[in-house]
Amino acid sequence: MRSSRRHPLLVPVLLCAIAVLAARPGDGDGDSPAVGAGARVARLYRDAALATQRYEAGRQAADAQRATARRAEARLEGQRQEISRLHEELGRIARAQYRGAGGVPMVARIVLADSPEDLMRDQHVFSQADLAVGNAIGRSRRAEVRLAADEAKAASAWRTLERRNAELAELKQGIERKLEEARGQLQGQADASVAAGTCRGAVRLDQPPTQVTDPWVTPVENVELSAGFGSGGSRWANRHTGQDFAVPIGTPVRAAGAGRVVRVSCGGAFGIEIVIEHPGGYYTQYAHLAAVAVDQGERVTTGQWIGQSGTTGNSTGPHLHFEVRVTPEMGSAVDPLPWLAQRGVPVG
């Protein structure tokens, strides 16, 4: 017979998930009129990422707890089948004992027994079997009670996590709605600057501490390539001179390497752009921006946020246009992907 020992539940998983879900980002945006759209977008990006991370942790915990409830139900069903089998076994023993005694009353059996020893032996065997089956049924019933309690506890914990996840999903959607609104505001300001031909100036972003230890990085953290170097198309006079990264408006753009900002400009085909000079005679360009976070002449470090992506200038949708040049001007571009790969930054 299977052991009726109580099976542990995933209590640590549940407790960790609830602790994670409890620390929710604030619902209010807390912005004052002085806070720029760029800073608000950057902060909402962080809030949205945090909410997504917590939602995924809670969803995984709920899945684990649901699986625990199912396992508890399976164990419970197994115990029920075991009890049914034991009942059948007890009935079989009783029927065999009755047939062996021929249904004769105990007094007659004493009289008819070949010897007192045979009668005592028969009675002892039956009593021992009856006691063993009874004990097994008792243990199984106690195990069934414990397993039923575990099942109810697991199901309750799963429902609690599902409810908290629904709340967090609603919060996440609210942040994303605010983010979309802030992106529109940021792009509107950028379009106005480009139309006027004057940049609004650097809007400093609250960049979290970076973990960058390499001398070179990709210009955006999450890489999704779109138009590549040398591509043909109606938007370019000859060939595409850089590598495009498909990113939403307001995505932080970072310096691919340490250097000095030699150009911050607005207007023209590139819209809002930044050009950085790096040691060794190379320049990197970051174009179609919605905002800049550095000033011309400023020195930057690898991975530092220098602006935010947008869709200014000759652009059909939000993306970052990234170029590597041997001069600060157009017409001297090299293919950025092999260039980055040679510096330990494989892309794609």
Side-chain angles (χ1 to χ4, degrees), residues 6-7 9 65 68-69 72-73 75-76 80 141-157 159:
R6 188 174 186 175
H7 294 263
L9 296 176
Q65 198 64 54
T68 298
E73 172 60 28
R75 292 196 300 269
L76 193 56
R80 292 188 184 113
R141 283 176 176 166
R142 289 191 295 273
E144 182 178 10
V145 171
R146 290 195 299 268
L147 285 168
D150 283 351
E151 181 188 42
K153 188 184 302 182
S156 175
R159 287 192 297 270

Side-chain angles (χ1 to χ4, degrees), residues 7-29:
H7 294 263
L9 296 176
L10 297 179
V11 175
V13 173
L14 171 62
L15 294 177
C16 289
I18 290 177
V20 168
L21 289 171
R24 296 168 50 178
D27 290 331
D29 54 30

